[in-house]
DNA sequence: GAGAAAATTGCAAACGTTTTAAATCGCCTT
DNA sequence: AAGGCGATTTAAAACGTTTGCAATTTTCTC
């Protein structure tokens, strides 16, 4: 029990070679005789030698880890986003032999302080930052430090001088509007959150731009806003929208969870989706396929994005490119049964 | 840009103290004069000093990390299990200042080899193992090495001499059977998977035991089996069960995903749930609340379990208790609308 | 076969921290 | 003023690797 770990020194002794030679042989250095390299590799394999990460990190300055600070999350809410994202990152990293560090922010500590710890303790060679806020201190910090990172999401101010990958929510929301407009809808509802996340603005702006492009003054847009994690307030806001004297015939939700709540409340109010009301979401959460009658939404393939983010980050770490790496992914429409032509009765 | 990291040496120099003193002062050693300790703490805070993890790990032998090797997963399948589990682990670890390492097995490599790497490279002080197989080489390896770990799940052979936390699936399945029996059901269906995971056996055994306890020879149990990730085969097996001349009036699925498929196929076959068919799942996946008419299932509160696993593991690492830590969690019934009295027509 | 060049190997320092054992300091006792 | 004692600080080794430079061995050239 508790067999000790093989060390380079032991391996060297057993081969009657110096530590230096064994180290270089395992690293595949050309300057070591091929025969020696093979002999060493053989012995290492047989002894089950695994280099000590700490020692290697200490001297080389590279840890082989990529960090992800878990965003602070609501108490009840389990979002599938995280699971998919982490899986994708793992898949992207593994091919390059890198591993993932997940750091969680304790209740008292800010996400920034955790990030600083991860960066400055040398645990990670680079980090991934998700859910960009309008004023994001994490990005400011990382940029100032010149530490390798890739952001999932963009800032608003057009200052894109950093590595990011984002989902083109603006385009998707424009597409959603166009589709609904062509189905005869003129009175729209937008269900959104009050938190200052940039993706909210980008999507809303995409919607506004699409409305503008039509130049149709009869188009009307109501907006319902509630805090991200306050389910009660969310339901209230949605009901205000649904129960007003003139309710929208089509509701676009910032993301699926909101859309699902809209459909629940619509059902409770005796409205039939999509006959009385069209609903469109964003994310293609698993539940959206099951919630009747099937939510029409956009698939951003989070897993695939995360995979690509991992690739980008590893490139940044290895090559430190001068120009930032950026990538805008266009989500695809998943057309289910929650949208249809505008009801005829009122127009 | 790219400010260098503060090191202990620099800090010591700026304070005109030795490295030793500063190190001890920061560690709060009593033998260092209180005044000095305060002075050092102040300077460290101001300089934003963060100790280098690699160096600390190298000398102390403790990395402050807990490892989780991601189980190899199906290609399309995104299970919410992972997301919840990881979140729970993170929550449990953070209060003790530990972080999580996620290692992914590359396509060619076995999960065991990744585990070995994590363990022997000294990256982690302990690991969590999930989804125990009937013959689990990971457990064998960890036990032989005497490396700290906690398993989520049990082996079958009654050899429980290791640290584990498990969900009492046997009890839940017994409860499900009793409830259905009392509702008049006599013909049961079990939808399960063909992979040799221990949780499958435990749940099935729980069901069998409950059937035995009734001692009612009129009870009948059909079984449909398909590989975990083969959706086509799963649907076929389910349909064979539903379309036979005598179909069960109540189906218990090994977990929610299977139950959801059962409900889909039942709907496709024109069966009404729960009027014609009762369905019960296990896991309380998010989608189970949305799939009409709402799936009755068991909630194992994975997040909470993971949290507790984290606590257990940290105890094991710190105290190396002689007797294994074990914990059996009883899942709670989430009663929705997918079960009801047995149909009268045929009895 | 001497000398040089090329190929191969090894010594020792370095990475930043913790820790053992020893040194220094201040102050009191006699 | 020497000795002693407790309080405080420090020097140096250690953890397991990588790497610049030097040392050694082999091979080649004439």
């Amino acid at each position: 029990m508790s067999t000790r770990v093989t060390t380079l020194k032991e391996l060297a002794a057993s081969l009657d070679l110096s530590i230096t030679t064994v180290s270089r042989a395992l690293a595949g250095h050309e300057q070591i005789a091929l025969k020696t390299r093979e002999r060493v590799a053989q012995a290492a394999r047989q002894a089950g030698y695994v280099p000590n990460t700490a020692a290697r990190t200490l001297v080389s300055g590279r840890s082989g880890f990529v960090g992800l600070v878990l965003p602070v999350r609501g108490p009840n809410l389990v979002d599938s986003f995280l699971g998919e994202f982490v899986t994708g990152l793992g898949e992207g990293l593994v091919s390059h032999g890198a591993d993932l560090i997940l750091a969680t922010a304790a209740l008292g500590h800010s996400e920034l302080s955790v990030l600083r710890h991860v960066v400055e303790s040398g645990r990670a060679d680079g980090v991934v930052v998700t859910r960009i806020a309008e004023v994001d201190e994490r990005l400011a910090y990382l940029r100032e430090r010149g530490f390798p990172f890739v952001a999932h999401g963009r800032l608003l101010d057009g200052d894109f001088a950093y590595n990011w990958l984002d989902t083109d929510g603006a385009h998707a929301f424009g597409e959603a509007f166009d589709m609904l407009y062509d189905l005869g809808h003129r009175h729209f509802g937008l269900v959104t959150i009050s938190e200052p996340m940039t993706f909210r603005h980008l999507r809303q702006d995409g919607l506004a731009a699409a409305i503008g492009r039509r130049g149709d003054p009869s188009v009307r847009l109501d907006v319902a806003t509630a805090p991200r994690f306050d389910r009660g307030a969310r339901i209230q806001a949605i009901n205000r929208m649904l129960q007003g004297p003139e309710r929208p015939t089509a509701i676009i939700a910032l993301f699926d969870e909101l859309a699902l709540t809209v459909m629940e409340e619509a059902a409770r109010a005796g409205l039939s989706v999509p006959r009385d009301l069209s609903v469109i979401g964003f994310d293609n959460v698993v539940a959206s396929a099951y919630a009747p009658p099937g939510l029409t939404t956009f698939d951003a393939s989070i897993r695939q994005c995360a995979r690509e983010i991992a690739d980008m980050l590893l490139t940044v770490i290895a090559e430190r490119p001068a120009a930032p790496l950026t990538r805008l992914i266009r989500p695809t429409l998943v057309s289910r049964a929650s949208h249809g032509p505008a009801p005829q009765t009122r127009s």
Side-chain angles (χ1 to χ4, degrees), chain A:
Chain A
M1 196 187 293
S2 193
T3 333
R4 269 213 36 263
V5 170
T6 316
T7 140
L8 207 49
K9 183 153 49 166
E10 290 169 13
L11 198 58
S14 83
L15 283 161
D16 204 27
L17 285 171
S18 73
I19 296 180
T20 310
T21 305
V22 176
S23 171
R24 289 206 172 107
L26 289 173
H29 272 240
E30 290 289 337
Q31 64 184 293
I32 303 294
L34 183 60
K35 216 164 97 183
T36 314
R37 270 183 282 170
E38 283 167 349
R39 198 160 64 97
V40 171
Q42 158 77 25
R45 209 175 315 119
Q46 201 204 315
Y49 170 72
V50 177
N52 179 294
T53 306
R56 174 176 277 183
T57 301
L58 188 56
V59 59
S60 74
R62 285 279 169 86
S63 69
F65 280 121
V66 161
L68 174 68
V69 178
L70 291 189
V72 182
R73 304 169 67 206
N76 325 318
L77 197 92
V78 176
D79 55 10
S80 61
F81 172 84
L82 184 70
E84 288 213 51
F85 196 76
V86 165
T87 307
L89 280 184
E91 288 173 353
L93 293 176
V94 69
S95 51
H96 301 262
D99 281 329
L100 187 62
I101 291 179
L102 249 50
T104 313
L107 228 67
H109 298 256
S110 74
E111 198 176 321
L112 178 65
S113 75
V114 178
L115 180 64
R116 276 201 47 199
H117 241 82
V118 170
V119 167
E120 291 173 31
S121 66
R123 286 156 143 79
D125 303 333
V127 294
V128 175
V129 179
T130 69
R131 302 197 171 155
I132 305 303
E134 287 174 24
V135 178
D136 204 299
E137 48 182 6
R138 302 167 303 170
L139 253 56
Y141 165 72
L142 289 168
R143 286 214 273 186
E144 191 208 310
R145 267 207 83 83
F147 193 79
F149 75 98
V150 175
H152 181 232
R154 277 168 297 170
L155 289 171
L156 292 177
D157 50 14
D159 168 15
F160 296 157
Y162 57 95
N163 311 292
W164 55 262
L165 178 150
D166 201 5
T167 310
D168 196 348
H171 185 272
F173 271 50
E175 192 177 336
F177 170 78
D178 284 338
M179 187 174 73
L180 291 167
Y181 185 93
D182 291 340
L183 283 166
H185 294 274
R186 293 298 178 269
H187 188 178
F188 294 82
L190 173 69
V191 177
T192 185
I193 57 173
S194 45
E195 278 78 2
M197 314 299 284
T198 59
F199 76 86
R200 184 189 76 174
H201 281 283
L202 292 166
R203 294 180 197 175
Q204 289 182 7
D205 291 354
L207 179 58
I211 294 177
R213 272 196 302 275
R214 289 285 176 171
D216 179 345
S218 72
V219 168
R220 183 171 149 199
L221 179 69
D222 298 349
V223 179
T225 307
R228 174 96 174 81
F229 295 119
D230 186 340
R231 196 174 151 77
R234 177 196 300 183
I235 290 177
Q236 264 195 339
I238 288 171
N239 278 322
R240 257 199 308 279
M241 177 177 270
L242 289 179
Q243 287 160 5
E246 293 240 323
R247 59 176 161 69
T249 62
I251 292 185
I252 301 179
L254 197 64
F255 46 82
D256 281 357
E257 268 174 70
L258 300 178
L260 291 173
T261 312
V262 169
M263 295 213 297
E264 286 177 275
E265 294 307 311
R268 186 165 309 167
L271 297 173
S272 158
V273 173
R275 212 192 48 215
D276 304 323
L277 183 71
S278 287
V279 180
I280 294 192
F282 190 99
D283 270 350
N284 196 21
V285 159
V286 178
S288 67
Y290 289 97
L295 178 64
T296 294
T297 184
F298 289 88
D299 192 328
S301 53
I302 299 166
R303 192 164 168 181
Q304 180 58 34
C305 286
R307 215 163 172 161
E308 215 157 312
I309 287 175
D311 282 341
M312 288 169 70
L313 183 52
L314 291 170
T315 305
V316 171
I317 291 171
E319 302 171 15
R320 309 257 170 173
L325 271 49
T326 66
R327 198 113 164 54
L328 192 58
I329 306 287
R330 181 159 296 179
T332 59
L333 179 72
V334 179
S335 189
R336 296 206 182 89
S338 67
H339 72 288
Q344 293 298 325
T345 18
R346 322 167 0 204
S347 82

